[in-house]
């Protein structure tokens, strides 16, 4: 049929196969030979000059003249799909190419599928009478119809068409390439040409793509099962272990700890090696068959794609490679193969090697094995349960060995190190997060919860706390915290604090060190809470409760036989030591560290490292102990007494520290507690004004001071503590000045009476020694003794008694008696600064001793203090202070009873006792028996009346 009879294709083009000139053609990388092939179809200059290199329309197509062709624009005609007539041969007279200037006889364009998609339209297809087109030059051969039909039938059955031959060649090239890829050799064809071949097959149709996928899968399965890959490996392995039937019993012994690598370990190494090789092969195959992967398989989701194709049940090249390897090694989902079980056991043994530090441990192999198991999909279902079961048995053996061979400290360290190693191993070897959580959870149950009694043993915990082992305690706390048992550590914590604190408070031999030891205990416990317990408030509150319990426990305080709180007394003396001597009196262990200063800085407090800031922090620490005391009246009595000594004797290291401490006490206890203490500082200021006025009067009257610079402190008796009266005969020069001031003061303030406390006085005496003069800062009794030697120095030097005073002579001249005289002489002749010489020598003073001036005395300082022993408190004074506090407490109890009954009028005994305890506990705890005794005294004084079990107020 002539080409001119083919009508133009006016219908819409097939959306799945469009020509290269269509505007909706898919974007694809241009073929290497596409441009040249297009140029062979139309070599006209106009076509060659087109920048888009579109293929011209076929010369076989000539539209039939008519209204359609005359009205259609050339632009629209160019967009129509190309139509090629394959039904009849083309003769030179019928076919002329466009722009054929040479008028050469054309031939029909050959079918070239690799040039891209074409739309083939066959109109009125009929069997051709001949197999080939007649030649335009040469004789014409004619055949009968019967012979022609027979020849056509033979050609159809025996000779493949060019299309089938082309695709057969593609499959042969791909098969050859796969064989080369499997063995790691370069392919005969370029990979890009192989990729184009895969693309052509996929574009041919879904059935051809499916066939290509099946051919690829079959080739891969055969190669995996071959002797070069897994097939030869299984054969060699089963020969070693015996047979497949005995494999189940020998797989577990494929490599015990302590021996050489067994068949199971060798199997794992070989399987992982083949896994790596298989990944390399799949990588190359995925590149060659990527168009099959993207255009047909596309395993991103299930269901139908936009074109309506069903993709369910398909898998990509990569997934197919993993599935094939998994089936070859581990079998299907119905059951695990023998060799797969051996591989899993070998992986678990690798972990055991790593745990034991065995030389057969291979970190790289273990990491790759875990990745293989995860990708093959056998990790969660098969490997994880086996691994957790073996790990559980390992944890049980470990806990048993460590608990029997180590103490608490060693057990904590070993368990903490084990948990850290297990966690790092899970992170470093690509274990899944669920495996890590289950593994560590099981470890916590076996190592911590099961052995919690050992971890929480009070004796073992106490030894760690006593040794100040912060790191082991921190490890213990963290271990217990992992299982939520950290609060159970509160019991051993409180037991240690009460036991240790009670031993310190009841130690009568080391009473002077009580507060320092308590502060040292508190300091170590605070560091433990800060560094080991992560500042957990539970342990902080337990610490406060335990301190308050043993400090106020009367059974513990009864060891001192004072009737009142001994801790309150010692805290007052500790603060006195700080305010007198400063930081040099403290041990280094009580000093703040850098973290304490940083915490103080963050809280807005003084954080510098100077002495004033550190002294302020130490006073705060002492106040922490003071807060625990229920009987604060004892502290008040001793603190007032010590403060009076510091003020009168000028022994305060810092006036700012004194006022700072007074402000802290006022905030802590209120203004009523510090009223008398504040009055003492006011009296000191008033005394300075009074002495200035006296010196002006003395200068105005022209009186001489006799070489004595007198300073008198006038104190109000109500605010200051009472001091014992000690009879002292002062030197004549001093006594004259005292009488002068006494007359001046009484004339100025009528009705007032002065009581002189000479034993609290101090003075500076100038002394001359062989090595130069010195100024001796001494008390009034010491000065009286020293002044006596001025009189005996003027005696006859030839006399045997020149410059010598006996014990009796000194007692008669100074008026000092008993212990006061002995302490005075001992401080002058037996102390550190020995300005007198005692005969005979010794540390104790006897009534038969004699004394002379030590002319050879020397000291690097010009002014020397020698009154330390004189200032020490005697046991009698201490006992009297406690007795006075106890008596005042009884009066306060009676006042509280009267105050309560006056407001309530009538109360039962139990109610009255409870209310009295509540109102008096801030000053000092009173027993119910003491309260009952005071109620009886008030009944005798007619303040109360008893009616049955109740009391009525009468006054």
């Amino acid at each position: 049929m002539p080409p001119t009879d083919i009508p133009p294709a006016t219908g819409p083009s097939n959306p799945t196969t469009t020509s290269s000139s269509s505007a909706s053609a898919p974007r694809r990388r241009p073929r290497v030979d596409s441009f040249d092939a297009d140029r062979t179809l139309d070599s006209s200059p106009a076509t060659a000059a087109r920048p888009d290199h579109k293929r011209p329309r076929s010369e076989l197509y000539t539209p039939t003249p008519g209204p359609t062709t005359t009205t259609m624009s050339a632009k629209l005609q160019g967009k129509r799909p190309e139509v090629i007539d394959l039904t009849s041969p083309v003769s030179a007279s019928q076919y002329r190419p466009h722009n054929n200037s040479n008028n050469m006889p054309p031939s029909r364009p050959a079918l070239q599928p690799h040039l891209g998609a074409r739309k083939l339209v066959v109109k009125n297809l009929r069997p051709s009478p001949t197999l080939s087109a007649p030649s335009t030059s040469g004789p014409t051969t004619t055949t009968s119809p019967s012979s022609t039909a027979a020849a056509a039938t033979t050609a159809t059955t025996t000779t493949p068409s060019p299309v089938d031959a082309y695709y057969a060649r593609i499959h042969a090239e791909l098969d050859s390439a796969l064989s080369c890829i499997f063995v790691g050799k370069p392919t005969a064809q370029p990979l890009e040409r192989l990729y184009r071949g895969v693309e052509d097959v996929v574009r041919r149709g879904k059935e051809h793509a499916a066939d290509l996928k099946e051919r690829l899968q079959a080739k891969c399965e055969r190669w995996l099962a071959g002797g070069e890959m897994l097939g030869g490996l299984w054969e060699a392995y089963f020969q070693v272990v015996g047979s497949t039937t005995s494999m189940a019993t020998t797989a577990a012994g494929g490599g015990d700890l302590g021996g050489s690598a067994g068949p199971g370990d060798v199997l794992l190494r070989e399987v992982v090696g083949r896994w790596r090789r298989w990944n390399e092969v799949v990588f190359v195959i995925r590149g060659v068959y990527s168009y099959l992967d993207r255009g047909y398989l596309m395993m991103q989701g299930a269901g139908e794609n936009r074109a309506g194709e069903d993709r369910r049940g398909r898998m990509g090249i990569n997934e197919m490679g993993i599935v094939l390897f998994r089936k070859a090694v581990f079998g299907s989902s119905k059951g695990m193969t023998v060799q797969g079980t051996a591989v899993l056991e070998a992986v678990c043994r690798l972990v055991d090697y790593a745990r034991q530090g065995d030389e057969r441990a291979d970190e790289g192999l273990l990491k790759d094995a875990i990745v293989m198991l995860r990708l093959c999909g056998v990790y969660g279902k098969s490997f994880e349960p086996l691994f957790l079961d073996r790990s559980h048995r390992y944890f049980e053996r470990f806990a048993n060995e460590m608990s029997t061979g180590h103490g608490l400290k060693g057990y904590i360290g070993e368990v903490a190190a084990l948990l850290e190693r297990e966690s790092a191993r899970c992170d470093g070897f690509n274990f899944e997060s669920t495996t890590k959580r289950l593994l560590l959870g099981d470890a916590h149950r076996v190592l911590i919860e099961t052995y919690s009694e050992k971890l929480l043993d009070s004796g073992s915990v106490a030894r760690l706390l006593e040794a100040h082992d912060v790191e082991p305690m921190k490890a213990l706390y963290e271990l217990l915290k992992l299982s939520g048992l950290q609060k159970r550590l509160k019991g051993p914590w409180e037991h240690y604090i009460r036991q240790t604190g009670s031993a310190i408070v009841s130690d009568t031999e080391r009473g002077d060190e009580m507060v320092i030891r308590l502060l040292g205990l508190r300091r170590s416990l605070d560091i433990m809470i800060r560094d080991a317990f992560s500042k957990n408030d539970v342990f902080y509150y337990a610490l406060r409760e335990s301190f308050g319990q043993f400090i106020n426990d009367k059974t513990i305080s009864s060891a001192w036989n004072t009737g009142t709180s001994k801790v309150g007394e010692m805290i007052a003396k500790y603060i006195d030591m700080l305010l007198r001597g400063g930081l040099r009196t403290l041990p280094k262990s009580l000093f703040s560290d850098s973290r304490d200063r940083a915490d103080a800085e963050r809280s807005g407090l003084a954080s510098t490292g100077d002495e004033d800031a550190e002294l302020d922090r130490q006073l705060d620490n002492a106040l922490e102990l003071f807060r625990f005391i229920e009987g604060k009246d004892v502290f008040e009595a001793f603190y007032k007494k010590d403060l009076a000594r510091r003020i009168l004797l000028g022994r305060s290291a810092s006036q700012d520290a004194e006022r700072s401490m007074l402000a802290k006490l006022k905030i802590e206890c209120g203004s009523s507690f510090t009223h008398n203490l504040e009055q003492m500082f006011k009296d000191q200021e008033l005394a300075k004004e009074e002495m200035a006025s006296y010196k002006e009067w003395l200068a105005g009257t022209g009186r001489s001071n006799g070489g004595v610079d007198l300073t008198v402190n006038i104190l109000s008796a109500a605010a200051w503590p009472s001091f014992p009266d000690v009879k002292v005969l002062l030197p004549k020069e001093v006594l004259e000045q005292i009488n002068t001031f006494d007359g001046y003061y009484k004339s100025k303030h009528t009705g007032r009476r002065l009581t002189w406390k000479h034993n609290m006085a101090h003075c500076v005496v100038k002394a001359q020694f062989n090595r130069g003069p010195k100024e001796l800062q001494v008390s009034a009794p010491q000065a009286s003794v020293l002044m006596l030697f001025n009189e005996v120095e003027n005696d006859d030097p030839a006399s045997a008694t020149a410059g010598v005073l006996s014990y009796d002579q000194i007692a008669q001249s100074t008026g000092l008696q008993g212990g006061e005289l002995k302490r005075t002489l001992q401080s002058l002749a037996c102390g550190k600064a020995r300005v007198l010489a005692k005969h005979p020598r010794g540390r104790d003073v006897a009534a038969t001793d004699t004394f002379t001036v030590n002319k050879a005395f020397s000291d690097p300082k010009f002014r020397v203090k020698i009154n330390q022993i004189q200032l020490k408190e005697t046991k009698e004074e201490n006992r009297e202070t406690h007795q006075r506090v106890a008596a005042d407490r009884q009066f306060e109890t009676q006042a509280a009873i009267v105050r309560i009954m006056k407001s309530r009028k009538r109360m039962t005994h139990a109610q009255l006792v409870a209310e009295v305890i509540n109102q008096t506990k801030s000053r000092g705890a009173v027993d119910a028996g003491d309260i009952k005794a005071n109620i009886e005294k008030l009944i005798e004084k007619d303040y109360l009346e008893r009616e049955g079990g109740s009391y009525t107020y009468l006054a």
Side-chain angles (χ1 to χ4, degrees):
M1 181 184 294
T4 56
D5 293 340
I6 300 177
T10 60
S13 60
N14 191 340
T16 60
T17 58
T18 58
S19 64
S20 61
S21 62
S22 175
S24 61
R27 295 181 180 179
R28 54 177 291 183
R29 187 169 56 188
R31 299 177 181 274
V32 177
D33 54 348
S34 61
F35 178 71
D36 294 336
D38 290 340
R39 289 177 61 89
T40 61
L41 295 177
D42 189 358
S43 59
S44 63
T47 304
R50 292 170 61 183
D52 54 354
H53 307 296
K54 292 183 178 180
R55 184 173 60 216
R57 300 179 63 184
S58 174
E59 291 82 353
L60 297 179
Y61 172 70
T62 304
T64 304
T68 304
T69 58
T70 56
T71 59
M72 186 178 296
S73 65
K75 183 176 182 181
L76 292 177
Q77 293 177 4
K79 291 185 177 181
R80 297 176 63 187
E82 180 182 356
V83 179
I84 301 175
D85 185 15
L86 301 178
T87 59
S88 63
V90 181
S91 63
S93 61
Q94 294 172 336
Y95 174 58
R96 292 290 184 271
H98 299 286
N99 299 325
N100 189 356
S101 59
N102 298 327
N103 295 322
M104 296 297 293
S107 61
R108 179 182 296 153
L111 180 62
Q112 298 177 347
H114 62 278
L115 296 181
R118 301 290 187 274
K119 182 176 182 180
L120 306 181
V121 179
V122 180
K123 293 293 185 177
N124 302 324
L125 179 62
R126 294 185 178 87
S128 178
T130 58
L131 294 178
S132 61
S135 177
T136 56
S137 61
T140 301
T141 304
T142 60
T143 58
S144 63
S146 60
S147 62
T148 302
T153 303
T154 304
T156 303
T157 57
T158 59
T159 303
S161 65
V163 176
D164 294 336
Y166 171 75
Y167 287 112
R169 179 170 54 86
I170 290 177
H171 285 298
E173 291 177 353
L174 290 175
D175 292 342
S176 176
L178 285 176
S179 300
C180 294
I181 292 173
F182 288 153
V183 297
K185 296 181 180 180
T187 58
Q189 300 295 333
L191 295 181
E192 182 177 2
R193 181 170 177 176
L194 297 174
Y195 170 82
R196 297 299 181 185
V198 173
E199 180 181 359
D200 290 338
V201 174
V202 174
R203 285 179 176 271
R204 191 180 183 185
K206 291 188 294 182
E207 63 278 3
H208 298 284
D211 179 66
L212 180 63
K213 180 253 183 183
E214 294 297 333
R215 291 170 63 94
L216 173 62
Q217 182 173 345
K219 291 280 290 185
C220 292
E221 286 181 350
R222 286 195 299 270
W223 185 69
L224 276 175
E228 186 178 355
M229 282 296 284
L230 298 175
L233 179 61
W234 305 150
E235 182 179 356
Y237 176 68
F238 289 138
Q239 289 178 357
V240 174
V241 298
S243 65
T244 56
T245 56
S246 61
M247 180 62 195
T249 58
T250 58
D256 296 333
L257 293 177
S260 59
D265 300 337
V266 177
L267 176 66
L268 174 62
R269 188 176 301 276
E270 294 297 329
V271 169
V272 172
R274 281 157 176 75
W275 164 257
R276 296 167 183 164
R277 183 179 176 184
W278 175 242
N279 285 332
E280 296 173 357
V281 170
V282 172
F283 177 79
V284 180
I285 293 176
R286 190 169 63 245
V288 175
Y289 286 81
S290 62
Y291 196 86
L292 175 66
D293 212 0
R294 293 182 289 106
Y296 176 69
L297 301 178
M298 299 180 64
M299 288 301 297
Q300 286 82 356
E304 295 182 350
N305 59 12
R306 295 181 180 178
E309 292 186 21
D310 189 2
R311 299 196 313 268
R312 288 174 291 184
R314 300 176 185 174
M315 64 182 70
I317 301 296
N318 192 59
E319 290 80 3
M320 182 186 70
I322 294 175
V323 169
L324 292 178
F325 192 88
R326 180 186 62 201
K327 289 183 179 179
V329 177
F330 302 102
S332 63
S333 59
K334 297 180 180 179
M336 179 69 64
T337 62
V338 176
Q339 58 268 23
T341 304
V343 169
L344 297 180
E345 291 282 350
V347 175
C348 294
R349 280 196 301 275
L350 270 183
V351 178
D352 291 336
Y353 295 154
R355 286 169 174 168
Q356 298 293 344
D358 193 278
E359 60 182 6
R360 290 170 291 178
D362 191 335
E363 296 183 356
L365 177 61
L366 178 59
K367 188 173 183 179
D368 291 345
I370 296 299
V371 173
M372 178 186 69
L373 297 179
R374 293 180 63 179
L375 293 179
C376 289
V378 298
Y379 180 93
K381 184 178 180 180
S382 302
F383 170 73
E384 187 178 66
L386 178 63
F387 171 70
L388 293 177
D389 181 67
R390 292 178 65 109
S391 298
H392 178 79
R393 295 197 298 268
Y394 169 73
F395 292 148
E396 289 180 341
R397 292 195 305 270
F398 180 86
N400 187 28
E401 293 175 1
M402 294 300 106
S403 61
T404 57
H406 296 79
L408 177 60
K409 182 177 180 180
Y411 183 80
I412 292 172
E414 294 294 338
V415 171
L418 173 65
L419 294 178
E420 184 177 356
R421 291 195 302 269
E422 293 294 329
S423 178
R425 186 176 297 112
C426 291
D427 295 335
F429 295 104
N430 299 323
F431 284 87
E432 291 185 356
S433 59
T434 55
T435 305
K436 178 181 178 181
R437 184 174 65 253
L438 294 174
L439 177 69
L440 295 181
D442 184 62
H444 298 160
R445 287 188 294 273
V446 175
L447 301 174
I448 300 174
E449 295 181 15
T450 306
Y451 289 84
S452 59
E453 297 299 328
K454 178 181 179 66
L455 295 175
L456 296 173
D457 180 65
S458 298
S460 301
V461 174
R463 284 190 291 272
L464 291 179
L465 294 173
E466 186 176 0
H468 309 299
D469 287 335
V470 176
E471 291 301 325
M473 285 301 301
K474 182 178 181 180
L476 174 61
Y477 176 80
E478 295 297 334
L479 288 180
L480 296 174
K481 187 177 181 181
L482 294 174
S483 300
L485 304 176
Q486 69 275 17
K487 292 184 178 180
R488 292 180 57 184
L489 190 60
K490 177 183 176 183
W493 170 261
E494 291 178 332
H495 180 267
Y496 167 75
I497 296 174
R498 290 194 298 267
Q499 185 178 15
T500 307
S502 300
I504 294 175
V505 172
S506 60
D507 189 356
T508 57
E509 296 181 358
R510 303 174 63 184
D512 294 340
E513 304 176 6
M514 177 190 296
V515 178
I516 293 180
R517 294 171 65 188
L518 288 177
L519 289 175
L521 174 64
R522 175 65 187 272
R523 172 68 179 164
S524 64
L525 297 176
D526 285 340
I527 293 176
M528 198 67 67
I529 295 176
R530 183 192 68 186
D531 298 341
F533 299 155
S534 302
K535 299 181 180 180
N536 194 328
D537 292 338
V538 172
F539 296 93
Y540 180 75
Y541 294 143
L543 183 148
R544 294 183 60 84
E545 292 175 0
S546 301
F547 262 78
Q549 182 176 358
F550 73 76
I551 284 178
N552 299 297
D553 192 346
K554 293 186 176 181
T555 58
I556 298 174
S557 301
S558 61
W560 295 93
N561 196 26
T562 57
T564 55
S565 175
K566 186 67 176 180
V567 181
E569 173 195 346
M570 302 313 299
I571 292 176
K573 291 184 177 181
Y574 172 79
I575 295 176
D576 174 65
M577 179 185 69
L578 279 180
L579 295 177
R580 283 191 295 109
L583 297 176
R584 67 175 184 270
T585 59
L586 289 180
K588 297 297 182 182
S589 59
L590 297 181
F591 279 47
S592 303
D593 56 15
S594 58
R595 295 191 60 178
D596 291 329
R597 291 191 288 270
D599 292 341
E601 186 177 19
R602 283 191 294 268
S603 61
L605 302 177
S607 60
T608 57
D610 58 4
E611 291 188 3
D612 293 338
E614 183 63 28
L615 180 60
D616 188 71
R617 283 192 290 271
Q618 295 299 329
L619 292 175
D620 289 337
N621 294 337
L623 279 178
E624 286 290 332
L625 291 181
F626 172 71
R627 293 188 181 101
F628 297 130
I629 302 174
E630 293 179 355
K632 292 180 172 55
D633 48 359
V634 178
F635 172 85
E636 180 185 9
F638 282 94
Y639 184 82
K640 180 190 293 186
K641 187 175 181 180
D642 294 333
L643 176 62
R645 291 179 181 274
R646 293 195 301 273
I647 292 176
L648 296 178
L649 300 179
R651 298 298 304 276
S652 293
S654 172
Q655 290 295 326
D656 294 336
E658 291 282 1
R659 297 187 180 278
S660 175
M661 186 63 196
L662 189 62
K664 294 178 187 295
L665 290 174
K666 188 173 184 179
I667 295 174
E668 186 69 27
C669 303
S671 58
S672 60
F673 186 87
T674 59
H675 174 72
N676 290 335
L677 303 179
E678 292 174 343
Q679 185 62 40
M680 294 168 68
F681 284 96
K682 292 179 181 179
D683 289 346
Q684 190 181 22
E685 298 297 328
L686 293 175
K688 291 180 180 179
E689 297 177 1
E690 191 69 37
M691 288 308 302
S693 176
Y694 168 70
K695 290 182 179 180
E696 290 180 1
W697 174 83
L698 195 62
T701 57
R703 295 174 181 269
S704 175
N705 58 9
V708 177
D709 186 9
L710 181 66
T711 300
V712 179
N713 289 317
I714 302 173
L715 313 175
S716 56
W720 290 76
S722 59
F723 296 100
D725 293 330
V726 179
K727 181 180 178 182
V728 181
L729 299 178
L730 299 177
K732 179 181 178 181
E733 299 83 358
V734 177
L735 186 59
E736 291 178 356
Q737 296 299 319
I738 289 176
N739 293 331
T740 302
F741 179 81
D742 186 84
Y744 161 78
Y745 186 82
K746 289 180 179 179
S747 62
K748 184 178 180 181
H749 303 281
T750 58
R752 294 188 180 182
R753 182 173 62 89
L754 294 178
T755 302
W756 296 89
K757 301 291 183 180
H758 298 307
N759 59 316
M760 298 299 299
H762 65 280
C763 60
V764 177
V765 178
K766 294 182 179 180
Q768 186 68 37
F769 298 99
N770 294 338
R771 297 188 179 183
K774 297 289 182 182
E775 290 185 356
L776 305 178
Q777 186 174 352
V778 293
S779 63
Q782 289 173 329
S784 300
V785 173
L786 292 177
M787 292 297 291
L788 295 177
F789 288 92
N790 288 335
E791 301 176 1
V792 297
E793 285 291 330
N794 297 326
D795 294 345
D796 185 7
S799 175
T801 60
V804 178
L805 289 175
S806 64
Y807 179 89
D808 294 334
Q809 289 175 333
I810 295 175
Q812 184 179 0
S813 302
T814 59
L816 298 173
Q817 301 293 330
E820 189 69 26
L821 177 59
K822 289 183 177 181
R823 287 195 301 272
T824 302
L825 292 175
Q826 190 176 14
S827 64
L828 294 173
C830 304
K832 183 178 180 181
R834 299 181 180 183
V835 295
L836 297 180
K838 186 178 77 72
H839 309 282
R841 294 181 179 182
R843 300 186 60 180
D844 297 329
V845 176
T848 57
D849 293 340
T850 58
F851 301 88
T852 59
V853 177
N854 182 16
K855 294 292 185 177
F857 173 77
S858 64
D859 195 278
K861 299 178 182 179
F862 178 73
R863 176 171 289 187
V864 182
K865 295 180 180 181
I866 55 175
N867 54 353
Q868 289 85 352
I869 298 178
Q870 175 65 23
L871 295 178
K872 281 190 175 181
E873 184 182 44
T874 62
K875 292 182 179 180
E876 292 77 10
E877 292 175 350
N878 185 282
R879 187 179 300 107
E880 290 176 0
T881 303
H882 281 284
Q883 291 174 355
R884 186 170 61 253
V885 170
D888 293 342
R889 186 175 294 177
Q890 300 301 322
F891 294 142
E892 291 176 359
T893 302
Q894 294 178 18
I897 294 172
V898 173
R899 186 167 57 251
I900 293 170
M901 293 300 300
K902 187 176 181 180
S903 61
R904 300 290 184 89
K905 303 303 182 182
R906 185 180 182 85
M907 293 185 70
T908 63
H909 178 77
Q911 292 175 342
L912 181 58
V913 170
E915 189 66 24
V916 171
I917 292 176
N918 185 47
Q919 290 193 10
T920 59
K921 65 181 180 180
S922 60
R923 297 287 298 173
V926 183
D927 292 335
D930 294 337
I931 296 175
K932 184 177 180 181
N934 285 292
I935 292 175
E936 296 294 337
K937 292 179 181 179
L938 293 175
I939 292 175
E940 294 176 0
K941 297 178 181 179
D942 295 333
Y943 281 94
L944 304 176
E945 181 181 7
R946 182 185 290 110
E947 296 181 359
S950 302
Y951 301 102
T952 305
Y953 182 69
L954 299 178

